[in-house]
Each structure stands twice: as C-alpha cells, then as structure tokens.
Amino acid sequence: MDIKKIIICSLVGMLLLTTAGCDTNSSATRTQYQEADSLINVAYRANDYNRLEILADSMRNAGLISDMKSSYWLGYANDKLMRKRIAEFFWNTGMAAFNPDEDKEDAEVYAEMASRLAGQKCTLGEYEAALKVAQTAVSQLQQMGHDTTSNYTNLIIYIGYCQSRFGLNKETAAQTLEQAYQQHLGYIRQQPSSDTYRLAIVGLTNICYNYSEMCDLDNLLFWANRYDSLVSCFDKTGLAPEAYIDKQHGRSCVFRAKALEGLGRSSEADSAFASFRQTQYSQTSDGAILAADYQMFAEKWKDAADSWSYLDDFRKQYASDYSMENIQLTFLKKYESNLRAGRKDSAMAVAMNILSHLDSTITKSRRTDAIEQEIVRKKEAQMMEDKRRLEVQQWWTRVAVMAVLIIALVIYIFVLNRMSARLKKAHGQLKVAYDQLEVTTSIKERMESELRIARNIQMSMVPSVFPAIKGLDMYASMTPAKEVGGDLYNYLQLGDKLYFCVGDVSGKGVPASLFMAQATRLFLTLAKQEMSPAEICTRMNDALSGDDNENNMFVTFWLGLVDLTTGHLSFCNAGHNPPVIIEHGSLNMEHSAAQEETVGNNVQSSMFNAQFLKMKPNIPIGIMPGMEFEGEEMETIKGRPFFIYTDGLNEAENKEKVEFSDARLIEILRNTRFSSSQQLIEKLRAEVEAHRNGAEPSDDLTMMCLYIAQ
C-alpha cells in the first residue's frame, strides 16, 4: 500500500473512531460528517481523482457519507479517469438505490448523478438511453417537488437535446430548450451566484454543441448569441474569474463564426473568429482544437492544419491516449486538414503515426473493456459483501448494547439456544434443498414449455394467410430473436381498402411481446373505424404513453392504407425504418417460362430501381402523450413492389459485429428479379442468414412486401 493510501485510511479511521458510540444526531457526529465532506472536496478541487475514488469508497464503508453520495463521487472519479463503463455502473447503481421517501436529503445528488449520466450517454451518441435516464429523473424529481434546481433544468435540456436527434419537429425541441433556458434565468434572478451562472452556461454549452454537430446553423447562431450574452452578464457581476470568462467568450465566438459561415455570411464569420483570436483562450491547445472545427467547416485548410499542430499539447493536458475515439475525433481530422492544405509530408507523418498505434489501440480497447467488465463484476460482489458485513456489524452492535443490560449467563444461554436452533434449521433447510433439486428441474422444464406456448400464442396473433384478391400479391414473415419478441405486422381489409402495418417494440422478450399485443389490438380496433393512418397513430400514442407506461416502452410503427382499385396510398411513419419502393417499367408478375428465360438472359438487373421512401419525421409511439402525428400520400403504388421491414434486417450482425446495412439491402433489391412477394422475402431471409454466418440474432426480424398489378 502506498503512502497516499495509508494517510487516507488513517484519516478515515480517526473519523470512524471518534464517531463510534455517539448519537447520530449529536453535534459531534455532524462535525465528523462535515470533515468527511471536506476531505472529499479537497480531492475534488485538486483534481486528484485516484484519491477521490479511495476517499469515497472508504467514507461509505465507515458510514460517514451516504451510499448516494459515494456512488456519485465514485462515478465522477472514474469518469475523469476515462473508465466510462465503471462510471456508468456507479451512477446507475446510485440512481437505482434512490428512495424518494427515505433519501430526500440526497435529491440534489440524485439530480446531478442523472445529469452526468445523461450527458455521458449523449456524448457517446446513445440518445435513446440518455432520453430514458433524463425522463425518469425529471419525473422522480417532479413527484418530490424538487424541480426548481439547475441540475433539474439541465436534465430538461438533455431531453430537448435527444428530441432533436430523434427526428422530432424543430418546434418541439425548441420549446423544451426554451423552457429550460427560462428556468435557468429564473434561478439566476432569485440567486445570482457563481453556481447558478455556471450551471446555466453548462446548459447553453450543451445546446450549442448539439446544434453544431447537427449543423443546424440557424439554431446554432440563436443560442450562440444567448451564450455570449449570459457570459457577459456573469462577467459584470464580478463573481467570475477572468480566465473563465475569457474561455466562455472564446467558445461563443467560435460557435457564432461557424453558424455565420454556414449561413453564407462569411464577412461576419471572419469578424466573429477575429474576436476569438483576441482571447487568451485562443492561445491554448483547447482553444486551438475548437478553432480547428470551425476552420475545417469553412474549408480554411491551412489554418486548420496550423491549429491541429496543438494536438500533442492538448493530449498531454488531458492525459489523452491513442483510443479509437481519439483517433476518429482528432488524428483523422488532423490528417485531413494537412492533406487538403497540400502539406503531404505532414499528412503522411500523421497517417504513419495512426498506423503505428492502430493495432495496439484496438488491442488495448478490447483489453480495457474486459478489465472494466471484470472491475464492475468485482465491485458488485464487493458492494454485496460490504452490505452483508455492515448488516452483521449492526446486528452485533445491538447484541453488545443488550449485553450491558442483561446478565451474561442469560445472554449466553439465549445465544447458545438461538444458534443451536439456527444450526438445526440450517440442517433441515439443507435436506429440503436436496429434496427440491429434482422439483426445481421440473419447474425449469415447465417454464421452458410455457415460453414455447407463449411463442405459439404470439405467432398466432400475426396473420399467416393473406388476402386472395386478384392483382394483389402480399406476404409477410416474423422471426423473433428470443422465445417471444416485440416485432409485429398485421393487415385489415375493408372492401377495396387495405390497412397494413409493421412495428418494432423497444426491448425484447416477454415485456416487448405484451406491448406488441397492445399495439396490435389498438391497430385493429381503430382501423375498423376507418380512421386515417395519422389519426390511428395519434390515438395509439395517447393510449400507450403517459403514466400507464411505467417501463417507458415505445414502438416504431409504419402504417399504410391503400386503395386496391387505384393504388392510392395514405401512410404515417412513427419513427420506423423507411420502406423501399421498387420500380421497373416492364415488371410483370405473369411471365411464362420461356419469357422468364429470355428476360433473365437479356435484361440487366440494373434496370430495377430500388430506393428508400422519403418521409416526414414522427416520433415513435409511446414516448410522449399529446403528440399529433402527420400523414402523407402517394398517388399510386401500382406496378411497384412495396417493401417494409424492421431493423432486425439492416442491423443484423455477423460474428465480427459487421451490420447487414442499408446499402446492401438496396443492392440486393436492385439486383433481384421480382417474381412474388414471398420470393423476395425468402431471398432476403437467406441473405441475412448467410451474412450472420452462425452468429446469434440480436433482434427480431420482420418483413412485409405488397404488390398491386397494373
């Protein structure tokens, strides 16, 4: 054990010894808690993350900080040490253990933990997971009446952040972000402190980075101006360090320059960037890397190459290694800038540097993942053992207190009898356990049988027989990844009208199958009322979202209504994969054998044009109540095979984690002669199986094809 750990453990031990025997509400005990918090804050301000991790763990074991605070600081320390998986584990553990009835004092810690976890998920591009974390935390904090803090408001910002990535219309995301911004301003007016200003600036920084990455330049300019205005207000209070204001002003200038350049206002962009150059922040490696993003966007390659020359200093400052993420986000951009600037020698040097570290980086990444998984496993076991040990210690402490009040002989007899009874009971339980082993095996077999029955019931809910209508060729199939799945398809014929749909429920297994059954029932009920596809989706969303959706499940859904006489198609897409429409001038479903041979020999496959259907965005059903879904129309789909599917097709992976991909789907459809809907689906199913090459399916696979002859 090194000197640092010895000193830390000694301090914790002294605090624990002075705390023992004191009433938890006494002033002496409160003093120990304050000293514990002080030790942690010293490590936090010193950026000593290794020490912070040891302190948080030791203080929790000593009972000097709550489990919630310990989980937050352990997650924070590991996040700063680039152990993202371990940080996520601690934050998830802390949030899962939060009890709003018992942990009201830790509500702000819970809010900050949720905010950091949502931010980490957004940084990694896991927007669905980030949205779930933020929405769950916001709901919990609202129920507690703890919805008037800056951390709560930043959770609202992350919700808007994710909404913009989920394909929601700009107005919805803008309303969410505006609500959060106005709340931040309210906190500042109530308490114009350094903390309220800094948390508001953090929120605006996240908004600007989001719109910068999306290249939504109008919104980027709007929020960059607000960002700079808020920084100026903070500067006027005299509460902010000069270096902090300089850095934030520099950032806002770069964001504004990028927005103006993209909007064609180059002279204004140059002026904004010149303002950035006047800051001290522009002379730092951090500022140079941010400047490079704008310069590459503006295609100022020589300037960008000069800025990327600060990369080594930047890596040293943040102790950044050669990870796959860093290679993608920094080294490849440095290579591109030098290459486009005509500095071929520098570009070649960067390329050789990447190549020299690529193999070791891949190996290290895999090894790091394995190590972090093992650490998480050990931490889980350690936490369970610590909990058990604490419970045992508490039990023996109570026994010790009783020993002072009860005669030693009585205690001895009581304990002896109790231990004898427990030993006898343990022997009896052991015998019962052996006797029940065979019963347990039978129960397992029965559960497997019930799952098979559940699968059969679910498969019976999707049609296996399709309309026998002249000129209509329709076929669909569903293959669950587990015993039961969350995909669905169905249709309903009403005279010359045909409703048809395909959906994909979030998650897998039994919960997804139950949600799928609800969605199927609602579709059939509403379709029988001859509603439009958009109205059906709106009604389904109202029924499946809100307070009843405790597990935050949702379903991506594509719904169409086709007139079988004219081929006119009305449809609504609720966050689902775009269908593919196939066009060919001479497509005919009734070739003779001789015609088929002649056409097959003389018509090249390139004559088939398969392309994704362009659609307006709607959110998946079940995410947010009260949404109005938009529908669209096509004049006719006659003579054009119409193919719908779930992401179990294009995202199917082989053993090397390579996806089947949209590009391969389109290539196959363009090079496959259409003879029937069933033939097309069976062809794609065989292609997916060949691509997986023995790998277990990671998601349900559902496909539907519809063809109306001209």
Side-chain angles (χ1 to χ4, degrees):
M1 182 180 294
D2 58 26
I3 297 299
K4 181 186 288 185
K5 291 186 177 180
I6 293 174
I7 295 173
I8 291 171
C9 291
S10 299
L11 289 170
V12 173
M14 292 172 62
L15 288 170
L16 180 59
L17 288 172
T18 55
T19 304
C22 297
D23 187 292
T24 56
N25 293 321
S26 69
S27 60
T29 301
R30 287 195 296 271
T31 299
Q32 304 307 318
Y33 292 159
Q34 291 171 358
E35 291 176 0
D37 284 336
S38 177
L39 285 173
I40 287 178
N41 284 325
V42 168
Y44 162 70
R45 294 191 187 97
N47 297 329
D48 191 344
Y49 304 119
N50 286 302
R51 182 185 177 204
L52 180 59
E53 181 182 22
I54 297 170
L55 279 171
D57 197 36
S58 301
M59 296 295 184
R60 177 179 61 84
N61 293 334
L64 297 175
I65 62 173
S66 67
D67 288 344
M68 186 68 62
K69 284 186 178 179
S70 174
S71 295
Y72 169 74
W73 286 118
L74 285 168
Y76 179 87
N78 278 282
D79 183 57
K80 293 299 183 181
L81 291 170
M82 303 306 293
R83 303 169 188 161
K84 301 297 184 182
R85 189 190 300 273
I86 300 175
E88 180 180 348
F89 163 76
F90 280 117
W91 286 333
N92 276 324
T93 300
M95 291 179 65
F98 180 67
N99 186 330
D101 295 327
E102 299 177 1
D103 303 325
K104 291 183 179 180
E105 292 183 359
D106 283 333
E108 186 59 16
V109 179
Y110 170 81
E112 188 162 359
M113 196 159 11
S115 180
R116 288 194 176 275
L117 183 57
Q120 184 190 83
K121 294 292 184 185
C122 286
T123 300
L124 296 175
E126 298 174 6
Y127 303 114
E128 179 182 333
L131 182 61
K132 184 174 181 179
V133 169
Q135 286 181 329
T136 301
V138 164
S139 176
Q140 189 78 271
L141 294 168
Q142 287 174 343
Q143 291 175 12
M144 295 176 63
H146 196 83
D147 53 356
T148 57
T149 68
S150 296
N151 279 314
Y152 168 85
T153 304
N154 279 336
L155 285 167
I156 298 293
I157 287 177
Y158 284 124
I159 290 175
Y161 191 122
C162 295
Q163 286 174 340
S164 66
R165 299 298 182 119
F166 258 129
L168 287 170
N169 57 53
K170 290 185 177 181
E171 289 73 19
T172 301
Q175 289 172 3
T176 302
L177 296 175
E178 182 65 24
Q179 172 194 349
Y181 175 71
Q182 294 301 329
Q183 286 182 355
H184 269 308
L185 294 183
Y187 302 149
I188 291 172
R189 283 192 291 268
Q190 293 172 12
Q191 186 181 1
S193 66
S194 177
D195 286 341
T196 54
Y197 269 104
R198 284 175 181 266
L199 285 169
I201 289 171
V202 167
L204 287 181
T205 303
N206 287 330
I207 294 173
C208 288
Y209 270 118
N210 178 48
Y211 283 124
S212 177
E213 290 175 3
M214 294 176 64
C215 288
D216 187 340
L217 303 174
D218 288 319
N219 276 315
L220 176 58
L221 182 58
F222 174 78
W223 287 103
N225 288 332
R226 278 187 163 181
Y227 182 11
D228 193 55
S229 176
L230 186 61
V231 171
S232 297
C233 291
F234 189 20
D235 187 24
K236 292 176 182 177
T237 65
L239 298 171
E242 184 177 348
Y244 178 86
I245 294 297
D246 179 81
K247 179 178 181 178
Q248 302 307 324
H249 176 63
R251 280 180 171 176
S252 68
C253 288
V254 175
F255 286 136
R256 193 162 61 252
K258 182 174 181 179
L260 291 167
E261 181 68 27
L263 294 171
R265 297 157 63 177
S266 297
S267 60
E268 293 177 70
D270 291 340
S271 177
F273 192 73
S275 297
F276 162 76
R277 285 298 192 194
Q278 294 174 6
T279 65
Q280 294 296 319
Y281 176 64
S282 68
Q283 305 303 314
T284 66
S285 59
D286 196 358
I289 299 305
L290 182 63
D293 178 66
Y294 157 74
Q295 290 161 340
M296 292 181 69
F297 179 79
E299 298 184 356
K300 298 179 179 181
W301 301 112
K302 290 184 178 180
D303 292 340
D306 291 338
S307 294
W308 280 116
S309 65
Y310 285 84
L311 180 56
D312 289 340
D313 293 337
F314 178 85
R315 289 182 56 248
K316 291 177 182 177
Q317 178 182 350
Y318 291 96
S320 177
D321 59 2
Y322 284 86
S323 66
M324 296 300 294
E325 181 181 10
N326 287 335
I327 288 175
Q328 179 185 1
L329 296 179
T330 59
F331 287 97
L332 289 179
K333 290 182 178 179
K334 180 177 181 180
Y335 166 79
E336 181 184 8
S337 297
N338 279 282
L339 184 64
R340 290 180 176 267
R343 301 174 182 177
K344 295 184 178 180
D345 291 340
S346 297
M348 182 60 69
V350 176
M352 294 302 295
N353 190 24
I354 293 173
L355 289 175
S356 65
H357 289 88
L358 188 58
D359 186 67
S360 61
T361 297
I362 294 172
T363 302
K364 181 179 178 181
S365 176
R366 292 173 178 170
R367 185 171 64 250
T368 300
D369 284 346
I371 291 173
E372 289 193 5
Q373 287 178 4
E374 180 62 15
I375 291 174
V376 168
R377 187 191 66 77
K378 289 182 178 179
K379 286 291 184 182
E380 288 176 332
Q382 180 186 344
M383 291 176 69
M384 292 296 295
E385 178 62 21
D386 290 344
K387 183 179 179 181
R388 186 197 66 79
R389 187 182 299 111
L390 181 61
E391 290 173 350
V392 172
Q393 289 173 350
Q394 291 173 343
W395 187 85
W396 280 110
T397 300
R398 288 192 294 267
V399 171
V401 172
M402 292 173 62
V404 177
L405 306 173
I406 304 173
I407 300 174
L409 181 59
V410 175
I411 295 177
Y412 171 75
I413 294 172
F414 172 76
V415 173
L416 181 61
N417 289 338
R418 190 169 183 179
M419 293 301 293
S420 298
R422 286 184 176 180
L423 183 60
K424 183 177 179 180
K425 183 179 179 181
H427 280 292
Q429 290 176 338
L430 182 60
K431 185 178 182 303
V432 171
Y434 278 115
D435 292 340
Q436 289 183 341
L437 180 59
E438 184 176 350
V439 175
T440 302
T441 303
S442 299
I443 292 173
K444 181 181 178 182
E445 292 175 351
R446 185 180 67 197
M447 290 177 64
E448 291 175 350
S449 175
E450 289 176 351
L451 279 174
R452 287 194 295 270
I453 293 172
R455 177 189 176 96
N456 293 337
I457 292 173
Q458 183 184 18
M459 295 304 292
S460 69
M461 295 179 66
V462 296
S464 57
V465 177
F466 302 95
I469 301 174
K470 184 177 181 181
L472 172 65
D473 177 15
M474 181 180 185
Y475 187 78
S477 72
M478 182 177 74
T479 307
K482 295 185 176 181
E483 288 82 357
V484 290
D487 278 6
L488 63 97
Y489 72 84
N490 218 310
Y491 72 87
L492 179 67
Q493 181 189 353
L494 298 175
D496 292 333
K497 309 291 186 182
L498 178 68
Y499 288 91
F500 59 102
C501 68
V502 170
D504 184 359
V505 178
S506 61
K508 306 177 185 66
V510 174
S513 70
L514 295 175
F515 202 81
M516 164 265 193
Q518 286 183 285
T520 301
R521 175 182 57 80
L522 285 169
F523 158 71
L524 292 173
T525 300
L526 297 172
K528 288 177 182 178
Q529 300 177 38
E530 300 189 34
M531 297 181 180
S532 69
E535 187 176 1
I536 291 175
C537 289
T538 300
R539 296 288 185 87
M540 288 177 66
N541 181 67
D542 290 338
L544 293 175
S545 59
D547 294 337
D548 293 336
N549 190 355
E550 296 180 354
N551 294 321
N552 295 317
M553 300 188 74
F554 60 87
V555 56
T556 65
F557 200 68
W558 197 97
L559 170 60
L561 170 60
V562 64
D563 188 319
L564 297 174
T565 59
T566 65
H568 180 269
L569 175 67
S570 300
F571 64 90
C572 180
N573 179 47
H576 199 71
N577 300 72
V580 180
I581 188 163
I582 307 169
E583 300 190 48
H584 186 274
S586 61
L587 190 62
N588 189 335
M589 293 175 57
E590 300 178 353
H591 295 307
S592 67
Q595 289 173 325
E596 189 68 37
E597 180 178 0
T598 301
V599 173
N601 291 333
N602 295 294
V603 179
Q604 299 299 319
S605 61
S606 60
M607 294 179 65
F608 293 92
N609 180 20
Q611 57 185 352
F612 291 113
L613 183 64
K614 295 182 179 179
M615 301 172 294
K616 296 178 180 178
N618 287 292
I619 65 170
I621 291 173
I623 288 182
M624 184 183 299
M627 297 297 298
E628 289 291 334
F629 286 74
E630 296 186 58
E632 300 180 70
E633 296 183 359
M634 288 183 63
E635 183 176 349
T636 183
I637 61 171
K638 276 194 171 185
R640 306 154 79 185
F642 199 80
F643 178 68
I644 322 169
Y645 59 96
T646 62
D647 57 14
L649 173 61
N650 58 319
E651 295 181 5
E653 295 181 342
N654 58 20
K655 294 180 180 179
E656 289 73 34
K657 301 300 182 183
V658 177
E659 292 187 350
F660 190 78
S661 79
D662 291 338
R664 187 168 183 182
L665 170 61
I666 291 297
E667 180 185 2
I668 291 171
L669 293 177
R670 287 177 176 174
N671 289 277
T672 300
R673 175 168 299 284
F674 180 86
S675 61
S676 72
S677 294
Q678 182 174 358
Q679 166 263 340
L680 182 65
I681 287 176
E682 295 299 337
K683 166 71 174 176
L684 286 169
R685 192 204 308 275
E687 291 284 351
V688 170
E689 288 295 329
H691 172 74
R692 281 208 303 259
N693 193 25
E696 288 294 323
S698 59
D699 202 354
D700 308 330
L701 172 60
T702 298
M703 296 179 284
M704 174 184 284
C705 186
L706 184 75
Y707 177 79
I708 303 175
Q710 290 182 328

